[in-house]
Amino acid sequence: MKVTFLGTGTSQGIPVIGCTDTVCLSTDPRDDRLRSSVLIEWDNYAYVIDCGPDFRQQMLSAKVININGILFTHYHADHTAGLDDIRPYSHKNGKVQFYAKNDVIENLKERFRYIFATKNRYIGAPNVVLNEITNRSFNLKNIKVMPIEVNHGEQKIFGYRFNDFAYITDAKTITTKEREKLQNLKVIVVNALRIDEHPTHFNLQQSLDFIKKIKPEQAYLTHISHKLGFHSEISKILPKNVSLAFDGLSIQI
Ligand SMILES: [Zn+2]
Ligand SMILES: [Zn+2]
């Protein structure tokens, strides 16, 4: 399985528009972060987790010819605002498969009414197939995918486990029961927003504490804000089995 980080930034990305702090002005390309998303590929299959406002740019940079579907973690705009740009895949395949839980589906139907319209559809609108998921494993081709429920403040959202790999973003807390689904992982990706605490996302310390509990072989941090610090400096203070992800990084699992 190959995982490519399409974006590793928090909701506003880095640089933040109009921001003149040092990280936003950094010349290190690893400090430029599009909105968080990953591409997961195995055999001849390709799935994307989330579809934020940078989706078009991400598909072009990673040269993604085709996708088999999109899994959504939650409905916030930084994870869904790129939906209109799935059109090339919809036109190519007729439809794009979506995997999401009920609250995400309801929210998308409200915000992207033209995509889900059944009457007087605009001819250029993308076609999607909604696969509603609950907190139970489901199959994507020949792999069993396990949702992991995490709390994003008050909101219950999903991370996903694919075999020995798990992807969790926008978590603030997780129950012991859900955390137990994350044993024996080769790689976990988990969000780490900044140094200071935040009401709905792990800060760096909370993310490191979480990783310590689940003991993966390797962890990568994502959903990073400009307030975390420079990639080069934060990398030096992390434990051996933890790295900052950066846009364009690919790993084999
Ligand atoms: Zn987010
Ligand atoms: Zn969010």
Side-chain angles (χ1 to χ4, degrees):
M1 182 182 280
K2 182 183 169 192
V3 174
T4 303
F5 290 90
L6 301 168
T8 56
T10 187
S11 57
Q12 297 191 52
I14 308 178
V16 171
I17 295 173
C19 183
T20 54
D21 83 3
T22 49
V23 172
C24 286
L25 298 177
S26 169
T27 52
D28 182 343
R30 296 171 304 175
D31 287 321
D32 280 348
R33 300 183 189 275
L34 298 177
R35 269 55 74 89
S36 293
S37 176
V38 281
L39 171 70
I40 303 175
E41 296 168 283
W42 72 94
D43 299 340
N44 285 318
Y45 309 128
Y47 287 87
V48 178
I49 300 186
D50 288 332
C51 184
D54 300 315
F55 181 78
R56 175 178 175 274
Q57 198 179 331
Q58 291 167 329
M59 294 299 103
L60 291 172
S61 312
K63 298 188 170 53
V64 184
I65 308 285
N66 217 337
I67 56 170
N68 295 93
I70 302 174
L71 293 83
F72 292 91
T73 58
H74 64 303
Y75 57 71
H76 283 164
D78 54 324
H79 300 261
T80 55
L83 273 200
D84 195 62
D85 285 325
I86 64 170
R87 282 180 294 155
Y89 299 124
S90 166
H91 295 164
K92 195 183 269 190
N93 301 324
K95 282 179 166 119
V96 176
Q97 302 285 334
F98 281 8
Y99 300 84
K101 71 186 180 105
N102 183 264
D103 64 329
V104 178
I105 291 175
E106 290 310 313
N107 182 280
L108 295 182
K109 279 183 176 169
E110 217 176 284
R111 285 169 47 226
F112 297 89
R113 204 178 303 161
Y114 69 99
I115 294 180
F116 302 95
T118 48
K119 281 183 203 157
N120 304 322
R121 274 182 66 79
Y122 176 59
I123 191 170
N127 288 304
V128 304
V129 179
L130 295 172
N131 299 280
E132 186 183 329
I133 56 172
T134 58
N135 196 357
R136 295 172 74 156
S137 297
F138 60 99
N139 291 318
L140 286 183
K141 306 296 180 189
N142 53 351
I143 282 193
K144 196 171 87 172
V145 179
M146 187 189 284
I148 314 292
E149 189 182 80
V150 299
N151 303 307
H152 181 22
E154 295 293 302
Q155 204 178 330
K156 291 188 186 309
I157 69 168
F158 278 165
Y160 297 101
R161 178 174 182 155
F162 290 63
N163 293 345
D164 299 333
F165 168 75
Y167 181 82
I168 287 177
T169 189
D170 294 60
K172 171 68 181 180
T173 58
I174 179 167
T175 63
T176 313
K177 192 170 154 229
E178 292 297 308
R179 202 178 62 219
E180 276 167 8
K181 295 180 183 173
L182 297 168
Q183 286 168 359
N184 304 315
L185 285 171
K186 282 203 180 123
V187 174
I188 188 162
V189 177
V190 59
N191 58 293
L193 189 72
R194 61 189 193 191
I195 304 297
D196 293 341
E197 278 216 38
H198 187 274
T200 59
H201 299 87
F202 283 152
N203 67 357
L204 179 62
Q205 193 54 53
Q206 289 160 340
S207 182
L208 294 177
D209 292 344
F210 171 70
I211 292 164
K212 222 180 191 172
K213 280 184 189 149
I214 58 172
K215 303 184 182 67
E217 282 178 27
Q218 184 67 38
Y220 290 89
L221 305 182
T222 191
H223 209 281
I224 291 166
S225 100
H226 63 153
K227 290 183 179 157
L228 183 67
F230 290 104
H231 187 103
S232 58
E233 285 175 12
I234 298 298
S235 295
K236 285 185 208 149
I237 61 164
L238 296 176
K240 247 193 183 146
N241 67 333
V242 183
S243 313
L244 289 186
F246 56 89
D247 294 15
L249 171 67
S250 272
I251 51 175
Q252 290 286 346
I253 299 148

